[in-house]
Amino acid sequence: DMEDFMEEMGGEISVPVLNGDWDALPANVRKYIAENVRLCRPKGVFICDGSDEEAEEITEKMVNRGLLTKLDKYENCYLCRTDPADVARVEGRTFIVTKEKFETVPHVQEGVKGILGQWMSPEDAEREMVQDRFPGCMKGRVMYVIPFSMGPVGGALSKVGVQLTDFNYVVLSMRIMTRVSSKIWDVLGENGEFVQCIHSIGAPRPLQRKVINHWPCNPERIMITHFPDQRKIMSYGSGYGGNSLLGKKCFALRIASRIAKDEGWLAEHMLILGVTNPQGEEKFIAAAFPSACGKTNLAMLTPSLPGWKVRCLGDDIAWMRFDDEGRLRAINPEAGFFGVAPGTNKKTNPVAMETCMKNTIFTNVGMTADGGVFWEGMEKEIEREQKITTWLGDQWKVGDKGKAAHPNSRFCCPASQCPIIHDKWEDPAGVPIDAIVFGGRRPEGVPLVFEAFDWEHGVMLGAALKSEATAAAEFKGKQIMHDPMAMRPFMGYNFGDYLQHWSDLNKPERQMPKIFHVNWFRLNDNGKFVWPGFGDNIRVLDWICRRVNGEDIAVPSAIGQLPVEGSLNLKGLNVSWEENFSLPKKYWVEDIEETKSFLQAQVGCDLPLTISDEVAKQEERIRLM
Ligand code: GTP
Ligand code: SPV
Ligand code: MN
């Protein structure tokens, strides 16, 4: 048992195993747990098996404690309200730890503060995490052991992780977002490799800080560190999504992007969808938009054009690898959706609304008096004058000041429940990607859709991706921020090396996907969206599919191939071509200037020549506009 094990390790403590069979664990897992028990001092260890019974037991406890509220209107749905100080990812406290600094971050220009990832030395990480934060951090709490697979269990492209956490909310969320199962132990075998994920809310007993909303956390001390060389993640102080569900951004993007570089594949912040035209021909598309810029919505799109069908494979992360035939194949490593609630309704995203009506955990949304959910955008879907409790616990009704839901409130639900989930969403071989799409919130100047001239130009477009800040992280206001490849917060290694890796993928024997750029968020002079978005985005997908088929419906411009006027199906819409597709020269002159200095300042000598060449070519084209 654990006692013998601790003794062998020269340890002095042992704690009860509250659930599961310690002796059935692989030896390297036992060692990993024992080391962290010694460091974190939990009162017991709970080995999860991912079963429904286990989830029911944990859920009941959380309801009794007040951390979850049952939503009577739906089947097996719960509301969770966090400490208002713990509502989003904390990018300023997120680090990648490598011996060599420039493995993690590019050589920025002198005097410039880098924004493409944060590096920490192993010595500092040892002091900050292992010495300052983690000793005794789980005192009085249970350490849960969560075996999980990113990607189908045992699949060739899948990877295994084991998360240790002292927060039951994380256990319930991980079993929705990843594949949690005892089968993982068999996949690992005796000494199989797994990613070590260690998470603590940093609130040992006796408590040092008042617990708000029954959500223990330690916002002042939040720190999230990644050790790509050791395939390890340590996260402290926050229970929120991307900070605590370590399979998601920490593993499937930051650690995986680094593994992917070493092994020749890609781990990207992308949705995956299949779109079938009225003739029955299906194309697969992967799209990268920054956080809260429309991935979930596009992945679940309900087409406004007759005869079209969209099926969802994933809404946030894609792992992609070229196969022997030279096709880029993508899998969704996740098993659930952790989607933005506000803005989602039966008109904008009926599929998401249907997906989250059972077995869902809602975080920081409002609640109606009859035990339903409410958030901004649902005004037409509840009875008038309904009494609502806001995410902060205040009484409220539609029309009152303030908001019912936090702008980054989320639903967490199993992907399998999605009514348009693709039959192949769990195919371990993945689906062949025909097009890659980049996009962001661009209120000005950027057309609805355009196509890259070639792969290199497309990689440059990705590198130049910008967007208005959103509520998914700690940033305030509407500033336009660079978010290259929608990966700025999730880069696992030097961004210059990352761009080189993307460039190097282009080989003659491969069928390279076409690359596109879209913008659903352009505003007119009255501050109104010039494009209806949502279900009408099928019209853009239609154009993209026809381009993939080689149709002659594009005309070169300074920034890429634009749709020939009239080539986009706008039947039944009242939109202005000019407002959607004009290229204001002044805007683009400034844009390329700004992009060039951004890349020079932030990526410096690590910027691949192919990319600076593409920037120079674009600059020249814009000059000639
Ligand atoms: P993360 O989960 O943070 O990675 O976000 P995401 O990229 O999946 O974004 P999501 O689809 O949840 O959309 C975020 C917000 O953008 C929601 O409030 C949506 O209603 C809104 N949105 C999505 N698509 C469109 C669109 O086509 N037009 C407009 N105007 N808004 C959109
Ligand atoms: C994002 O911010 O891109 C998300 C939410 O998908 S989180 O899981 O918190 O990263
Ligand atoms: Mn995301």
Short mmCIF file of all heavy atoms in Angstrom, two decimals, residues 266-302:
data_model
loop_
_atom_site.label_atom_id
_atom_site.label_comp_id
_atom_site.label_asym_id
_atom_site.label_seq_id
_atom_site.Cartn_x
_atom_site.Cartn_y
_atom_site.Cartn_z
N LEU A 266 1.00 19.46 -35.37
CA LEU A 266 0.50 20.76 -34.92
C LEU A 266 -0.53 20.60 -33.80
O LEU A 266 -1.40 19.73 -33.88
CB LEU A 266 -0.20 21.49 -36.07
CG LEU A 266 0.65 21.99 -37.24
CD1 LEU A 266 -0.27 22.43 -38.39
CD2 LEU A 266 1.56 23.13 -36.80
N ALA A 267 -0.43 21.45 -32.78
CA ALA A 267 -1.47 21.54 -31.74
C ALA A 267 -1.96 22.98 -31.77
O ALA A 267 -1.21 23.89 -31.44
CB ALA A 267 -0.90 21.19 -30.37
N GLU A 268 -3.21 23.19 -32.18
CA GLU A 268 -3.68 24.55 -32.47
C GLU A 268 -5.00 24.89 -31.80
O GLU A 268 -5.81 24.02 -31.50
CB GLU A 268 -3.84 24.71 -34.00
CG GLU A 268 -2.56 24.49 -34.78
CD GLU A 268 -1.46 25.50 -34.46
OE1 GLU A 268 -1.78 26.64 -34.09
OE2 GLU A 268 -0.27 25.13 -34.57
N HIS A 269 -5.19 26.20 -31.57
CA HIS A 269 -6.42 26.73 -30.98
C HIS A 269 -7.48 26.85 -32.08
O HIS A 269 -7.79 27.93 -32.54
CB HIS A 269 -6.11 28.10 -30.37
CG HIS A 269 -7.18 28.65 -29.47
ND1 HIS A 269 -7.28 30.01 -29.20
CD2 HIS A 269 -8.17 28.06 -28.75
CE1 HIS A 269 -8.29 30.21 -28.38
NE2 HIS A 269 -8.85 29.06 -28.08
N MET A 270 -7.99 25.70 -32.52
CA MET A 270 -8.87 25.66 -33.70
C MET A 270 -10.08 24.77 -33.47
O MET A 270 -9.99 23.70 -32.87
CB MET A 270 -8.10 25.08 -34.90
CG MET A 270 -7.02 25.98 -35.45
SD MET A 270 -6.24 25.16 -36.87
CE MET A 270 -5.03 26.42 -37.31
N LEU A 271 -11.19 25.20 -34.05
CA LEU A 271 -12.36 24.34 -34.15
C LEU A 271 -12.17 23.42 -35.35
O LEU A 271 -11.33 23.68 -36.22
CB LEU A 271 -13.62 25.20 -34.37
CG LEU A 271 -13.69 25.97 -35.69
CD1 LEU A 271 -14.38 25.16 -36.78
CD2 LEU A 271 -14.35 27.29 -35.52
N ILE A 272 -12.96 22.35 -35.40
CA ILE A 272 -12.97 21.48 -36.58
C ILE A 272 -14.42 21.24 -36.97
O ILE A 272 -15.24 20.86 -36.12
CB ILE A 272 -12.31 20.10 -36.29
CG1 ILE A 272 -10.95 20.25 -35.61
CG2 ILE A 272 -12.18 19.29 -37.58
CD1 ILE A 272 -10.42 18.94 -35.02
N LEU A 273 -14.75 21.46 -38.24
CA LEU A 273 -16.11 21.16 -38.70
C LEU A 273 -16.09 20.48 -40.06
O LEU A 273 -15.13 20.59 -40.81
CB LEU A 273 -16.96 22.44 -38.74
CG LEU A 273 -16.59 23.59 -39.67
CD1 LEU A 273 -17.03 23.32 -41.11
CD2 LEU A 273 -17.27 24.87 -39.19
N GLY A 274 -17.20 19.78 -40.33
CA GLY A 274 -17.42 19.21 -41.66
C GLY A 274 -18.59 19.97 -42.27
O GLY A 274 -19.61 20.16 -41.61
N VAL A 275 -18.44 20.44 -43.50
CA VAL A 275 -19.53 21.15 -44.14
C VAL A 275 -19.88 20.44 -45.45
O VAL A 275 -19.00 20.15 -46.26
CB VAL A 275 -19.19 22.66 -44.35
CG1 VAL A 275 -17.89 22.87 -45.07
CG2 VAL A 275 -20.32 23.39 -45.07
N THR A 276 -21.18 20.11 -45.59
CA THR A 276 -21.64 19.36 -46.76
C THR A 276 -22.54 20.25 -47.60
O THR A 276 -23.49 20.85 -47.07
CB THR A 276 -22.43 18.11 -46.31
OG1 THR A 276 -21.64 17.41 -45.34
CG2 THR A 276 -22.73 17.18 -47.47
N ASN A 277 -22.24 20.34 -48.89
CA ASN A 277 -23.05 21.20 -49.77
C ASN A 277 -24.30 20.46 -50.24
O ASN A 277 -24.45 19.26 -49.98
CB ASN A 277 -22.18 21.74 -50.93
CG ASN A 277 -21.77 20.65 -51.91
OD1 ASN A 277 -22.30 19.54 -51.89
ND2 ASN A 277 -20.83 20.96 -52.78
N PRO A 278 -25.21 21.16 -50.91
CA PRO A 278 -26.46 20.51 -51.32
C PRO A 278 -26.22 19.32 -52.25
O PRO A 278 -27.07 18.45 -52.38
CB PRO A 278 -27.23 21.63 -52.04
CG PRO A 278 -26.69 22.89 -51.44
CD PRO A 278 -25.24 22.62 -51.17
N GLN A 279 -25.04 19.24 -52.90
CA GLN A 279 -24.74 18.09 -53.77
C GLN A 279 -24.21 16.90 -52.96
O GLN A 279 -23.88 15.85 -53.52
CB GLN A 279 -23.69 18.48 -54.82
CG GLN A 279 -24.21 19.46 -55.90
CD GLN A 279 -24.39 20.88 -55.36
OE1 GLN A 279 -23.49 21.42 -54.71
NE2 GLN A 279 -25.56 21.47 -55.58
N GLY A 280 -24.05 17.08 -51.65
CA GLY A 280 -23.62 15.98 -50.80
C GLY A 280 -22.12 15.84 -50.66
O GLY A 280 -21.62 14.85 -50.14
N GLU A 281 -21.39 16.87 -51.08
CA GLU A 281 -19.93 16.80 -51.02
C GLU A 281 -19.45 17.47 -49.73
O GLU A 281 -19.80 18.62 -49.45
CB GLU A 281 -19.38 17.56 -52.24
CG GLU A 281 -17.90 17.43 -52.44
CD GLU A 281 -17.41 18.43 -53.48
OE1 GLU A 281 -18.24 19.14 -54.08
OE2 GLU A 281 -16.20 18.49 -53.67
N GLU A 282 -18.65 16.75 -48.95
CA GLU A 282 -18.22 17.27 -47.66
C GLU A 282 -16.77 17.75 -47.67
O GLU A 282 -15.90 17.11 -48.24
CB GLU A 282 -18.39 16.20 -46.57
CG GLU A 282 -18.03 16.72 -45.18
CD GLU A 282 -18.43 15.77 -44.05
OE1 GLU A 282 -18.14 14.57 -44.16
OE2 GLU A 282 -19.03 16.26 -43.07
N LYS A 283 -16.54 18.90 -47.01
CA LYS A 283 -15.18 19.41 -46.80
C LYS A 283 -14.97 19.57 -45.29
O LYS A 283 -15.92 19.84 -44.56
CB LYS A 283 -15.01 20.77 -47.46
CG LYS A 283 -15.27 20.78 -48.95
CD LYS A 283 -13.96 20.72 -49.71
CE LYS A 283 -14.16 20.84 -51.20
NZ LYS A 283 -14.48 19.53 -51.83
N PHE A 284 -13.70 19.43 -44.88
CA PHE A 284 -13.38 19.64 -43.47
C PHE A 284 -12.56 20.92 -43.31
O PHE A 284 -11.62 21.16 -44.07
CB PHE A 284 -12.63 18.43 -42.91
CG PHE A 284 -13.49 17.21 -42.82
CD1 PHE A 284 -13.43 16.22 -43.79
CD2 PHE A 284 -14.39 17.06 -41.77
CE1 PHE A 284 -14.24 15.09 -43.71
CE2 PHE A 284 -15.21 15.94 -41.68
CZ PHE A 284 -15.13 14.96 -42.65
N ILE A 285 -12.96 21.70 -42.32
CA ILE A 285 -12.34 23.01 -42.11
C ILE A 285 -11.88 23.11 -40.66
O ILE A 285 -12.59 22.71 -39.74
CB ILE A 285 -13.36 24.12 -42.43
CG1 ILE A 285 -13.71 24.07 -43.93
CG2 ILE A 285 -12.82 25.51 -42.04
CD1 ILE A 285 -14.75 25.10 -44.36
N ALA A 286 -10.68 23.66 -40.46
CA ALA A 286 -10.18 23.99 -39.12
C ALA A 286 -10.04 25.50 -39.07
O ALA A 286 -9.55 26.11 -40.02
CB ALA A 286 -8.84 23.31 -38.87
N ALA A 287 -10.51 26.11 -37.97
CA ALA A 287 -10.47 27.57 -37.90
C ALA A 287 -9.94 28.06 -36.57
O ALA A 287 -10.36 27.57 -35.51
CB ALA A 287 -11.86 28.15 -38.15
N ALA A 288 -9.01 29.01 -36.64
CA ALA A 288 -8.39 29.60 -35.45
C ALA A 288 -8.89 31.02 -35.26
O ALA A 288 -8.58 31.89 -36.07
CB ALA A 288 -6.87 29.59 -35.61
N PHE A 289 -9.67 31.26 -34.23
CA PHE A 289 -10.06 32.60 -33.81
C PHE A 289 -9.64 32.75 -32.34
O PHE A 289 -9.77 31.80 -31.58
CB PHE A 289 -11.58 32.83 -33.87
CG PHE A 289 -12.26 32.45 -35.16
CD1 PHE A 289 -13.60 32.10 -35.16
CD2 PHE A 289 -11.58 32.45 -36.37
CE1 PHE A 289 -14.27 31.75 -36.33
CE2 PHE A 289 -12.23 32.09 -37.55
CZ PHE A 289 -13.58 31.74 -37.53
N PRO A 290 -9.18 33.95 -31.95
CA PRO A 290 -8.83 34.14 -30.55
C PRO A 290 -10.00 33.83 -29.61
O PRO A 290 -11.14 33.71 -30.06
CB PRO A 290 -8.46 35.63 -30.49
CG PRO A 290 -8.03 35.97 -31.88
CD PRO A 290 -8.89 35.13 -32.78
N SER A 291 -9.70 33.74 -28.33
CA SER A 291 -10.71 33.42 -27.33
C SER A 291 -11.92 34.35 -27.45
O SER A 291 -11.77 35.56 -27.62
CB SER A 291 -10.11 33.55 -25.93
OG SER A 291 -9.04 32.66 -25.79
N ALA A 292 -13.11 33.75 -27.35
CA ALA A 292 -14.37 34.50 -27.41
C ALA A 292 -14.54 35.27 -28.72
O ALA A 292 -15.05 36.39 -28.73
CB ALA A 292 -14.54 35.42 -26.20
N CYS A 293 -14.08 34.70 -29.82
CA CYS A 293 -14.25 35.32 -31.14
C CYS A 293 -15.04 34.45 -32.11
O CYS A 293 -15.02 34.68 -33.31
CB CYS A 293 -12.89 35.67 -31.73
SG CYS A 293 -12.10 37.05 -30.89
N GLY A 294 -15.69 33.40 -31.62
CA GLY A 294 -16.65 32.72 -32.49
C GLY A 294 -16.35 31.29 -32.90
O GLY A 294 -17.02 30.78 -33.80
N LYS A 295 -15.41 30.59 -32.26
CA LYS A 295 -15.14 29.21 -32.66
C LYS A 295 -16.33 28.29 -32.38
O LYS A 295 -16.76 27.53 -33.26
CB LYS A 295 -13.88 28.66 -31.95
CG LYS A 295 -12.57 29.25 -32.46
CD LYS A 295 -11.36 28.66 -31.77
CE LYS A 295 -11.37 28.87 -30.29
NZ LYS A 295 -11.38 30.29 -29.86
N THR A 296 -16.85 28.35 -31.15
CA THR A 296 -17.96 27.47 -30.81
C THR A 296 -19.14 27.72 -31.74
O THR A 296 -19.79 26.78 -32.23
CB THR A 296 -18.38 27.68 -29.34
OG1 THR A 296 -17.24 27.44 -28.51
CG2 THR A 296 -19.51 26.75 -28.94
N ASN A 297 -19.39 29.00 -32.01
CA ASN A 297 -20.52 29.34 -32.88
C ASN A 297 -20.35 28.82 -34.29
O ASN A 297 -21.29 28.30 -34.89
CB ASN A 297 -20.75 30.85 -32.88
CG ASN A 297 -21.57 31.27 -31.68
OD1 ASN A 297 -22.78 31.28 -31.74
ND2 ASN A 297 -20.89 31.57 -30.58
N LEU A 298 -19.16 28.94 -34.85
CA LEU A 298 -18.95 28.46 -36.21
C LEU A 298 -19.00 26.93 -36.25
O LEU A 298 -19.58 26.34 -37.16
CB LEU A 298 -17.61 28.97 -36.76
CG LEU A 298 -17.37 28.66 -38.24
CD1 LEU A 298 -18.41 29.34 -39.11
CD2 LEU A 298 -15.96 29.10 -38.67
N ALA A 299 -18.42 26.30 -35.22
CA ALA A 299 -18.37 24.83 -35.18
C ALA A 299 -19.76 24.21 -35.13
O ALA A 299 -19.95 23.07 -35.53
CB ALA A 299 -17.54 24.37 -33.99
N MET A 300 -20.74 24.99 -34.62
CA MET A 300 -22.10 24.45 -34.45
C MET A 300 -23.10 25.15 -35.35
O MET A 300 -24.30 25.13 -35.09
CB MET A 300 -22.53 24.62 -32.99
CG MET A 300 -21.66 23.86 -32.03
SD MET A 300 -22.29 24.07 -30.36
CE MET A 300 -20.94 23.29 -29.45
N LEU A 301 -22.61 25.78 -36.39
CA LEU A 301 -23.44 26.63 -37.23
C LEU A 301 -24.68 25.91 -37.79
O LEU A 301 -24.61 24.77 -38.24
CB LEU A 301 -22.56 27.17 -38.36
CG LEU A 301 -23.16 27.99 -39.49
CD1 LEU A 301 -22.13 29.01 -39.93
CD2 LEU A 301 -23.55 27.11 -40.63
N THR A 302 -25.82 26.59 -37.73
CA THR A 302 -27.04 26.12 -38.39
C THR A 302 -27.20 26.92 -39.68
O THR A 302 -27.48 28.11 -39.63
CB THR A 302 -28.27 26.35 -37.48
OG1 THR A 302 -28.04 25.69 -36.24
CG2 THR A 302 -29.53 25.79 -38.13
#
